Amino acid sequence: MAIATINPATGETLKIFEPLTDAEISAKLEFSQQAFEKYRQIPMAQRSQWMNATAEILEREKEKFGKLMTLEMGKPLKGAIAEIEKCALVCRYYAEHAAEFLADVPVTTDANHSFVRYQPLGAILAVMPWNFPFWQVFRFAAPALMAGNVGLLKHASNVPQCALAIEEIFTQAGFPAGVFQTLLVGSDRVVAIVADERVKAATLTGSELAGASLAAAAGKQIKKTVLELGGSDPFIVMPSADLEAAVATAVTARMLNNGQSCIAAKRFIVAEAVADRFEKQLVEKFKVLKVGDPMLPDTDLGPLATPNILQDLDYQVKETVKSGAKVLAGGQPISDRPGNFYPPTILTDIPPGTPGDEEEFFGPVALLFRVTDIDAAIKLANATPFGLGASAWTTDEQERDRFVSELEAGAVFINGMVKSDPRLPFGGVKRSGYGRELSIQGIHEFVNVKTVWVK
Ligand code: NAP
């Protein structure tokens, strides 16, 4: 894939970038290594100051960066600006808490003095997706840099200007040159970069295929990885639920970011007793969503990020319908305008073995399933290779406890939408990946947990 800015709302190619040569990549890795040797000595208070300065730049220029994201990948501008604000929040969170999270931990043993010390590893490669072009990067970079590591960003090829802007923000904030560098390279260079001895560990947010490839390359070199991969999150509605609230949240949870979020609710699993009402209200709400130019303030749903994503989604819907699923809304790409537009879509009566039953749908398509009781709801929710998030709606305490303990997911939200929060760990189980970002767990992923024993 070319490294380029292509407006997904118009299909227009706005800027093309030459990928770095191997010699240029090597020079950047060398610079990164040198920067690490000095940066690891910088006191935490100074790192915090630079991280807070990063937050200030983001807050001050949130409109500018928000527009850049909308231009490159099509998310509605309001959401883009909120994403920049959230990036500032994660910077401030780690600026404030890193010292406490990384403080020595005393442990009583047979030594006179024994403790755990957290030390940085060096250059960490972050391979990132286009769907939250700033947030995905900042939730990696804020803890990694506060821990004394240096960052190397290989961003998705369709958001090169976001990638360059992020490097510029860290530099402007005062971080020394080389502490955070963007590498404009295609995915074909990733294996070689991971294998380079100057790179100490890697994190990838994206598809299973990309994650497996990166982890295999890192595994050969015995390097640590964190993987944040796909999801097909269930959204379960039980008879006792506040139905109005559940339907309203269902719309947001499915449509956020034009339906292209790993933790979007994708499979709606509804108890028979309330299924007709849920379905009717969901259809009504989907049909009034405004599809259009993502730069306009009243747009609910912009274009999908690339023509390929549109094609894949269209194929998944068509295959599922061909096998007997019923279309309650949408169902066909929007063809009377340029850009990668797909309408809010609901499928039901989804036969087993179809894409709707087995795959992640990365776009504004809700998959609706009916179940007789909680046993069937949990069984269906877990019948997926993924395990990222799960949302369950009930006011029954016993049901709540069962969902919390039996749903196979990295996060369970009761009566709320799955979302990330700097204060809470984020990550998946099963084929959704491993490791955690955010919170104290996130900053401990890329450190040497050093045991110290002194007699
Ligand atoms: P993708 O194709 O895997 O791309 C993600 C990143 O990986 C890009 O930088 C891409 O570079 C790179 N990449 C692609 N193939 C690679 C390979 N073989 N080896 C190394 N790097 C490779 O992902 P996507 O389809 O754009 O993103 C959507 C997926 O990401 C969905 O499954 C979604 O659920 C998941 N996601 C997960 C989370 C989470 O937190 N768990 C968050 C957001 C998205 P190029 O652009 O140059 O190809």
Side-chain angles (χ1 to χ4, degrees), residues 1-3 125-132 135-136 139 153-159 185-191 194 204-215 227-232 257 260-264 266 305-306 309 312 360 362 386 388 426-428 432-433 437:
M1 189 156 78
I3 302 175
L125 173 70
V127 181
M128 291 289 144
W130 45 265
N131 64 341
F132 293 95
W135 170 245
Q136 306 288 7
R139 78 177 181 184
L153 170 64
K154 181 271 177 272
H155 217 325
S157 294
N158 56 333
V159 290
V185 292
S187 56
D188 57 334
R189 309 316 301 149
V190 169
V191 166
V194 170
L204 181 142
T205 299
S207 60
E208 283 178 78
L209 202 75
S213 157
L214 174 111
L227 299 181
E228 299 283 3
L229 309 178
S232 190
N257 211 38
Q260 304 159 117
S261 167
C262 52
I263 48 168
K266 290 171 187 146
T306 66
I309 296 163
D312 288 351
E360 176 184 29
F362 217 56
F386 298 110
L388 197 52
F426 183 95
S432 291
E437 294 193 285

Coordinates of all heavy atoms in Angstrom, one line a residue, residues 1-3 125-132 135-136 139 153-159 185-191 194 204-215 227-232 257 260-264 266 305-306 309 312 360 362 386 388 426-428 432-433 437, ligand 1:
M1 N 0.9 -1.2 0.0 CA 0.0 0.0 0.0 C 0.9 1.2 0.0 O 1.8 1.3 0.8 CB -0.9 0.0 1.3 CG -1.9 1.0 1.3 SD -3.4 0.6 2.3 CE -2.8 0.9 3.9
A2 N 0.6 2.2 -0.9 CA 1.4 3.4 -0.9 C 1.2 4.2 0.4 O 0.1 4.2 1.0 CB 0.9 4.3 -2.1
I3 N 2.2 5.0 0.7 CA 2.1 5.8 1.9 C 1.5 7.1 1.4 O 2.2 7.9 0.7 CB 3.5 6.0 2.6 CG1 4.0 4.6 3.0 CG2 3.3 6.9 3.8 CD1 5.4 4.6 3.6
L125 N 9.3 -0.5 19.3 CA 8.6 -0.2 18.0 C 7.1 -0.3 18.2 O 6.6 -1.3 18.8 CB 9.0 -1.3 17.0 CG 8.2 -1.2 15.6 CD1 8.6 0.0 14.8 CD2 8.5 -2.5 14.8
A126 N 6.3 0.7 17.7 CA 4.9 0.7 17.8 C 4.3 0.6 16.4 O 4.5 1.6 15.6 CB 4.4 1.9 18.5
V127 N 3.7 -0.5 16.0 CA 3.0 -0.6 14.7 C 1.5 -0.3 15.0 O 0.9 -1.0 15.7 CB 3.2 -2.0 14.1 CG1 2.5 -2.1 12.8 CG2 4.7 -2.3 14.0
M128 N 1.0 0.8 14.4 CA -0.3 1.3 14.8 C -1.3 1.4 13.6 O -0.9 1.5 12.5 CB -0.1 2.7 15.4 CG 0.6 2.6 16.7 SD -0.5 1.9 18.0 CE 0.7 1.0 19.0
P129 N -2.6 1.3 13.9 CA -3.6 1.3 12.9 C -4.1 2.8 12.7 O -3.9 3.7 13.5 CB -4.7 0.5 13.5 CG -4.6 0.8 15.0 CD -3.2 1.1 15.3
W130 N -4.9 2.9 11.7 CA -5.4 4.2 11.2 C -6.7 4.6 12.0 O -7.2 5.7 11.8 CB -5.7 4.2 9.7 CG -6.5 2.9 9.4 CD1 -5.9 1.7 9.0 CD2 -7.9 2.7 9.6 NE1 -6.9 0.8 8.9 CE2 -8.1 1.3 9.2 CE3 -8.9 3.4 10.0 CZ2 -9.4 0.7 9.3 CZ3 -10.2 2.9 10.1 CH2 -10.4 1.5 9.7
N131 N -7.4 3.7 12.7 CA -8.7 4.0 13.1 C -8.8 5.1 14.2 O -9.7 5.9 14.2 CB -9.5 2.7 13.4 CG -9.0 2.0 14.6 OD1 -7.8 2.1 15.0 ND2 -9.8 1.1 15.2
F132 N -7.8 5.0 15.1 CA -7.7 6.1 16.1 C -6.3 6.6 16.0 O -5.4 6.2 16.8 CB -8.0 5.7 17.5 CG -9.5 5.3 17.7 CD1 -9.9 4.0 17.6 CD2 -10.5 6.3 18.0 CE1 -11.3 3.6 17.7 CE2 -11.8 5.9 18.1 CZ -12.2 4.6 18.0
W135 N -5.0 8.5 19.2 CA -5.2 7.8 20.5 C -4.3 6.5 20.6 O -3.7 6.3 21.6 CB -6.7 7.5 20.7 CG -6.9 6.6 21.9 CD1 -7.4 5.3 21.8 CD2 -6.7 6.9 23.3 NE1 -7.5 4.8 23.1 CE2 -7.0 5.7 24.0 CE3 -6.1 8.0 23.9 CZ2 -6.9 5.7 25.4 CZ3 -6.0 7.9 25.3 CH2 -6.4 6.7 26.0
Q136 N -4.3 5.7 19.5 CA -3.6 4.5 19.6 C -2.1 4.7 19.9 O -1.4 4.0 20.6 CB -3.7 3.7 18.3 CG -5.1 3.4 17.8 CD -5.8 2.4 18.6 OE1 -5.3 1.9 19.7 NE2 -7.0 2.0 18.2
R139 N -1.6 6.3 23.6 CA -1.7 5.4 24.7 C -0.5 4.4 24.8 O -0.3 3.9 25.9 CB -3.1 4.6 24.7 CG -3.1 3.5 23.7 CD -4.5 2.8 23.8 NE -4.5 1.7 22.8 CZ -5.5 0.9 22.6 NH1 -6.7 1.2 23.2 NH2 -5.5 -0.1 21.8
L153 N 7.7 4.9 15.7 CA 6.3 4.7 15.2 C 6.3 4.2 13.8 O 6.8 5.0 12.9 CB 5.5 6.0 15.4 CG 4.1 6.0 14.8 CD1 3.2 5.0 15.4 CD2 3.5 7.4 14.9
K154 N 5.7 3.0 13.5 CA 5.4 2.7 12.1 C 3.9 2.8 12.1 O 3.1 1.9 12.6 CB 5.9 1.3 11.8 CG 5.6 0.9 10.3 CD 4.2 0.2 10.2 CE 3.8 -0.1 8.8 NZ 3.1 1.0 8.1
H155 N 3.4 3.9 11.5 CA 1.9 4.1 11.5 C 1.3 3.5 10.3 O 2.1 3.1 9.3 CB 1.6 5.6 11.6 CG 0.4 5.9 12.4 ND1 -0.7 5.1 12.5 CD2 0.1 7.0 13.2 CE1 -1.6 5.6 13.3 NE2 -1.1 6.8 13.8
A156 N 0.0 3.4 10.2 CA -0.7 2.8 9.0 C -0.4 3.7 7.8 O -0.2 5.0 8.0 CB -2.1 2.7 9.3
S157 N -0.3 3.1 6.7 CA 0.2 3.9 5.5 C -0.8 5.0 5.0 O -0.4 5.8 4.2 CB 0.4 2.9 4.3 OG 1.5 2.1 4.7
N158 N -2.1 4.9 5.5 CA -3.0 5.9 5.1 C -3.1 7.1 6.0 O -4.0 8.0 5.8 CB -4.4 5.3 4.9 CG -4.9 4.6 6.1 OD1 -4.1 4.1 6.9 ND2 -6.2 4.5 6.3
V159 N -2.3 7.2 7.1 CA -2.3 8.3 7.9 C -0.9 8.9 8.2 O -0.5 9.2 9.3 CB -3.0 8.0 9.3 CG1 -4.5 7.8 9.1 CG2 -2.4 6.8 10.0
V185 N 7.4 3.9 6.7 CA 7.7 2.7 6.0 C 6.5 1.9 5.7 O 5.5 2.0 6.5 CB 8.7 1.8 6.8 CG1 10.1 2.5 6.8 CG2 8.2 1.5 8.2
G186 N 6.5 1.0 4.8 CA 5.4 0.1 4.5 C 5.5 -1.1 5.5 O 6.5 -1.3 6.2
S187 N 4.4 -1.9 5.5 CA 4.4 -3.1 6.5 C 5.5 -4.1 6.1 O 5.9 -4.9 6.9 CB 3.1 -3.7 6.5 OG 2.7 -4.1 5.3
D188 N 6.0 -4.1 4.8 CA 7.0 -5.0 4.4 C 8.4 -4.8 5.2 O 9.2 -5.7 5.1 CB 7.2 -5.0 2.9 CG 7.6 -3.6 2.4 OD1 7.2 -2.6 3.1 OD2 8.3 -3.5 1.4
R189 N 8.5 -3.7 5.8 CA 9.8 -3.4 6.5 C 9.8 -3.8 8.0 O 10.8 -3.8 8.7 CB 10.2 -1.9 6.5 CG 10.2 -1.2 5.1 CD 10.8 -2.0 4.0 NE 12.2 -2.4 4.2 CZ 12.8 -3.4 3.8 NH1 12.1 -4.3 3.0 NH2 14.1 -3.7 4.0
V190 N 8.6 -4.2 8.5 CA 8.4 -4.4 9.9 C 9.2 -5.5 10.5 O 9.9 -5.4 11.5 CB 6.9 -4.5 10.3 CG1 6.7 -5.0 11.7 CG2 6.1 -3.2 10.0
V191 N 9.2 -6.6 9.7 CA 10.0 -7.8 10.2 C 11.4 -7.5 10.4 O 12.1 -7.8 11.4 CB 9.8 -9.0 9.3 CG1 10.8 -10.1 9.6 CG2 8.3 -9.5 9.4
V194 N 11.9 -5.2 13.5 CA 11.8 -5.9 14.7 C 13.1 -6.7 15.0 O 13.5 -6.9 16.1 CB 10.6 -6.8 14.7 CG1 10.6 -7.8 15.9 CG2 9.3 -6.0 14.7
L204 N 1.8 -4.0 18.7 CA 1.1 -3.8 17.5 C -0.4 -3.7 17.8 O -0.9 -4.5 18.6 CB 1.4 -4.9 16.5 CG 0.6 -4.8 15.1 CD1 1.5 -5.2 14.0 CD2 -0.7 -5.6 15.1
T205 N -1.1 -2.8 17.2 CA -2.5 -2.7 17.3 C -3.0 -2.8 15.8 O -2.6 -2.0 15.0 CB -3.0 -1.4 17.9 OG1 -2.5 -1.3 19.2 CG2 -4.5 -1.3 18.0
G206 N -3.8 -3.8 15.6 CA -4.3 -4.0 14.2 C -4.9 -5.4 14.0 O -5.5 -5.9 15.0
S207 N -4.7 -6.0 12.8 CA -5.4 -7.2 12.5 C -4.6 -8.4 13.1 O -3.4 -8.3 13.4 CB -5.5 -7.3 11.0 OG -4.2 -7.3 10.4
E208 N -5.3 -9.6 13.1 CA -4.6 -10.8 13.6 C -3.4 -11.2 12.7 O -2.4 -11.6 13.2 CB -5.6 -12.0 13.4 CG -6.7 -12.0 14.5 CD -7.6 -13.2 14.1 OE1 -7.2 -14.3 14.4 OE2 -8.7 -12.9 13.6
L209 N -3.6 -11.0 11.4 CA -2.5 -11.3 10.5 C -1.2 -10.5 10.8 O -0.1 -11.1 10.9 CB -3.0 -11.0 9.0 CG -2.3 -11.8 7.9 CD1 -2.8 -13.2 7.9 CD2 -2.6 -11.1 6.6
A210 N -1.4 -9.2 10.9 CA -0.3 -8.4 11.2 C 0.3 -8.7 12.6 O 1.6 -8.8 12.7 CB -0.7 -6.9 11.1
G211 N -0.5 -8.9 13.5 CA -0.1 -9.2 14.9 C 0.7 -10.5 14.9 O 1.8 -10.6 15.5
A212 N 0.2 -11.5 14.2 CA 0.9 -12.8 14.2 C 2.3 -12.7 13.5 O 3.3 -13.3 14.0 CB 0.1 -13.9 13.5
S213 N 2.3 -11.9 12.5 CA 3.6 -11.7 11.7 C 4.6 -11.0 12.6 O 5.8 -11.4 12.7 CB 3.3 -11.0 10.4 OG 4.4 -10.3 10.0
L214 N 4.2 -10.0 13.3 CA 5.1 -9.2 14.1 C 5.6 -10.1 15.3 O 6.8 -10.2 15.6 CB 4.4 -8.0 14.7 CG 5.3 -7.2 15.7 CD1 5.8 -5.9 15.1 CD2 4.5 -6.9 17.0
A215 N 4.6 -10.8 15.9 CA 5.0 -11.6 17.1 C 5.9 -12.8 16.7 O 6.8 -13.1 17.5 CB 3.7 -12.2 17.7
L227 N 0.1 -7.3 21.9 CA -0.7 -7.3 20.7 C -2.2 -6.9 21.1 O -2.8 -7.4 22.0 CB -0.8 -8.7 20.1 CG 0.5 -9.3 19.6 CD1 0.2 -10.6 18.9 CD2 1.2 -8.4 18.6
E228 N -2.7 -5.8 20.4 CA -4.1 -5.4 20.6 C -4.7 -5.7 19.2 O -4.6 -4.9 18.3 CB -4.1 -3.9 20.9 CG -3.4 -3.5 22.2 CD -4.2 -3.8 23.4 OE1 -5.3 -4.4 23.3 OE2 -3.7 -3.5 24.5
L229 N -5.5 -6.7 19.1 CA -6.0 -7.1 17.8 C -7.5 -6.9 17.7 O -8.1 -6.1 18.4 CB -5.5 -8.5 17.5 CG -4.0 -8.8 17.7 CD1 -3.6 -10.2 17.4 CD2 -3.2 -7.8 16.9
G230 N -8.1 -7.7 16.8 CA -9.5 -7.5 16.5 C -10.5 -7.9 17.6 O -10.1 -8.5 18.6
G231 N -11.8 -7.6 17.4 CA -12.8 -8.0 18.3 C -14.1 -8.2 17.6 O -14.3 -7.6 16.6
S232 N -15.0 -9.0 18.2 CA -16.4 -9.1 17.8 C -17.2 -9.0 19.0 O -17.9 -10.0 19.4 CB -16.6 -10.3 17.0 OG -17.9 -10.3 16.3
N257 N -16.9 6.2 15.4 CA -15.7 6.1 14.5 C -16.2 5.4 13.2 O -15.4 4.6 12.6 CB -14.6 5.3 15.2 CG -13.2 5.7 14.7 OD1 -13.0 6.9 14.5 ND2 -12.3 4.8 14.5
Q260 N -15.8 1.6 12.9 CA -14.4 1.0 12.8 C -13.7 1.1 14.1 O -12.6 1.8 14.2 CB -13.7 1.7 11.7 CG -14.4 1.7 10.4 CD -13.9 2.8 9.4 OE1 -13.4 2.5 8.4 NE2 -14.0 4.0 9.8
S261 N -14.2 0.5 15.1 CA -13.5 0.5 16.4 C -13.4 -1.0 16.8 O -14.3 -1.8 16.7 CB -14.3 1.3 17.4 OG -13.8 1.0 18.7
C262 N -12.2 -1.3 17.4 CA -12.0 -2.7 17.8 C -13.0 -3.1 18.9 O -13.5 -4.2 19.0 CB -10.6 -2.9 18.3 SG -10.1 -1.7 19.5
I263 N -13.3 -2.1 19.8 CA -14.2 -2.4 20.9 C -15.7 -2.0 20.6 O -16.4 -1.8 21.5 CB -13.7 -1.8 22.2 CG1 -13.4 -0.3 22.0 CG2 -12.6 -2.6 22.9 CD1 -13.1 0.4 23.3
A264 N -16.0 -1.8 19.3 CA -17.4 -1.5 19.0 C -18.2 -2.7 19.4 O -17.7 -3.8 19.2 CB -17.5 -1.2 17.5
K266 N -20.5 -5.3 18.3 CA -20.7 -5.8 16.9 C -21.8 -6.9 16.9 O -22.6 -6.9 15.9 CB -19.4 -6.4 16.4 CG -18.4 -5.3 16.1 CD -17.0 -5.7 15.8 CE -16.1 -4.4 15.7 NZ -14.8 -4.6 16.2
A305 N -12.6 4.1 6.0 CA -11.3 4.7 5.8 C -10.7 4.5 4.4 O -10.0 5.3 3.8 CB -10.4 4.3 6.9
T306 N -11.0 3.3 3.8 CA -10.4 3.0 2.5 C -11.4 2.2 1.6 O -12.3 1.5 2.2 CB -9.1 2.1 2.7 OG1 -9.5 0.8 3.2 CG2 -8.1 2.7 3.6
I309 N -11.7 -1.5 2.8 CA -12.6 -1.8 3.9 C -14.1 -1.9 3.5 O -14.8 -2.7 3.9 CB -12.4 -0.7 5.0 CG1 -10.9 -0.8 5.5 CG2 -13.4 -0.9 6.2 CD1 -10.5 0.4 6.3
D312 N -14.6 -5.2 1.6 CA -14.6 -6.3 2.5 C -16.0 -6.4 3.3 O -16.6 -7.4 3.4 CB -13.5 -6.2 3.6 CG -12.1 -6.5 2.9 OD1 -12.1 -6.9 1.7 OD2 -11.1 -6.2 3.6
E360 N -15.3 -10.6 12.3 CA -15.4 -9.2 12.8 C -15.9 -8.3 11.6 O -15.4 -8.4 10.5 CB -14.0 -8.7 13.2 CG -14.1 -7.3 13.6 CD -12.7 -6.7 14.0 OE1 -11.6 -7.2 13.4 OE2 -12.6 -5.8 14.8
F362 N -16.0 -4.7 10.4 CA -15.4 -3.4 10.7 C -16.0 -2.3 9.9 O -15.5 -1.7 9.0 CB -13.9 -3.5 10.4 CG -13.0 -2.8 11.4 CD1 -13.1 -3.1 12.7 CD2 -12.1 -1.8 11.0 CE1 -12.3 -2.5 13.6 CE2 -11.3 -1.2 11.9 CZ -11.4 -1.5 13.2
F386 N -12.5 -14.2 19.2 CA -12.1 -13.0 19.9 C -12.5 -12.9 21.3 O -13.4 -13.6 21.8 CB -12.6 -11.8 19.1 CG -12.2 -11.7 17.7 CD1 -13.1 -11.9 16.7 CD2 -10.9 -11.4 17.4 CE1 -12.7 -11.9 15.3 CE2 -10.5 -11.3 16.0 CZ -11.4 -11.6 15.0
L388 N -12.2 -9.4 23.3 CA -11.7 -8.0 23.6 C -12.6 -7.4 24.7 O -12.2 -7.4 25.9 CB -11.6 -7.2 22.4 CG -10.8 -5.9 22.4 CD1 -9.4 -6.2 22.9 CD2 -10.7 -5.2 21.1
F426 N -6.4 -2.1 29.5 CA -7.1 -2.3 28.3 C -6.3 -3.4 27.5 O -5.1 -3.3 27.3 CB -7.1 -1.0 27.4 CG -7.9 -1.2 26.1 CD1 -9.2 -0.8 26.1 CD2 -7.3 -1.7 25.0 CE1 -9.9 -1.0 24.9 CE2 -8.0 -1.9 23.8 CZ -9.3 -1.5 23.8
G427 N -7.1 -4.4 27.0 CA -6.5 -5.5 26.2 C -7.4 -6.6 26.1 O -8.5 -6.6 26.7
G428 N -7.0 -7.7 25.4 CA -7.9 -8.8 25.1 C -7.3 -10.1 25.6 O -6.2 -10.3 26.0
S432 N -7.8 -11.9 20.4 CA -7.8 -10.4 20.4 C -6.4 -9.9 20.9 O -6.2 -8.7 21.0 CB -8.9 -9.9 21.3 OG -10.2 -10.1 20.7
G433 N -5.6 -10.8 21.3 CA -4.2 -10.4 21.7 C -3.8 -10.7 23.1 O -4.6 -11.4 23.8
E437 N -2.6 -2.3 27.9 CA -2.2 -0.9 27.8 C -2.9 -0.2 28.9 O -3.9 -0.7 29.5 CB -2.5 -0.4 26.4 CG -1.7 -1.0 25.3 CD -1.8 -0.3 24.0 OE1 -2.9 -0.4 23.3 OE2 -0.8 0.4 23.6
Ligands
NAP1 P1 -3.8 -3.9 9.8 O1 -3.9 -4.0 8.4 O2 -3.2 -5.0 10.6 O3 -2.8 -2.6 10.1 C1 -2.4 -2.2 11.3 C2 -0.9 -1.8 11.2 O4 -0.2 -3.0 11.0 C3 -0.6 -0.8 10.1 O5 0.5 0.0 10.5 C4 -0.1 -1.8 9.0 O6 0.7 -1.1 8.1 C5 0.6 -2.8 9.8 N1 0.7 -4.1 9.1 C6 -0.2 -4.6 8.2 N2 0.2 -5.9 7.8 C7 1.3 -6.1 8.5 C8 2.2 -7.2 8.6 N3 2.0 -8.3 7.8 N4 3.3 -7.1 9.4 C9 3.5 -6.0 10.1 N5 2.7 -5.0 10.1 C10 1.6 -5.0 9.3 O7 -5.1 -3.5 10.6 P2 -6.3 -2.7 10.0 O8 -7.1 -3.7 9.2 O9 -5.9 -1.5 9.3 O10 -7.0 -2.3 11.3 C11 -8.2 -2.9 11.8 C12 -7.9 -4.0 12.7 O11 -7.3 -3.5 13.9 C13 -9.2 -4.6 13.2 O12 -9.2 -6.0 13.3 C14 -9.4 -3.9 14.6 O13 -10.3 -4.6 15.4 C15 -8.0 -3.9 15.1 N6 -7.8 -2.9 16.1 C16 -7.6 -3.4 17.4 C17 -7.5 -2.5 18.5 C18 -7.2 -2.9 19.9 O14 -6.9 -2.1 20.7 N7 -7.3 -4.2 20.2 C19 -7.6 -1.1 18.2 C20 -7.9 -0.7 16.9 C21 -8.0 -1.6 15.9 P3 0.2 -0.7 6.6 O15 -0.9 0.4 6.8 O16 1.4 -0.1 6.0 O17 -0.3 -1.9 6.0

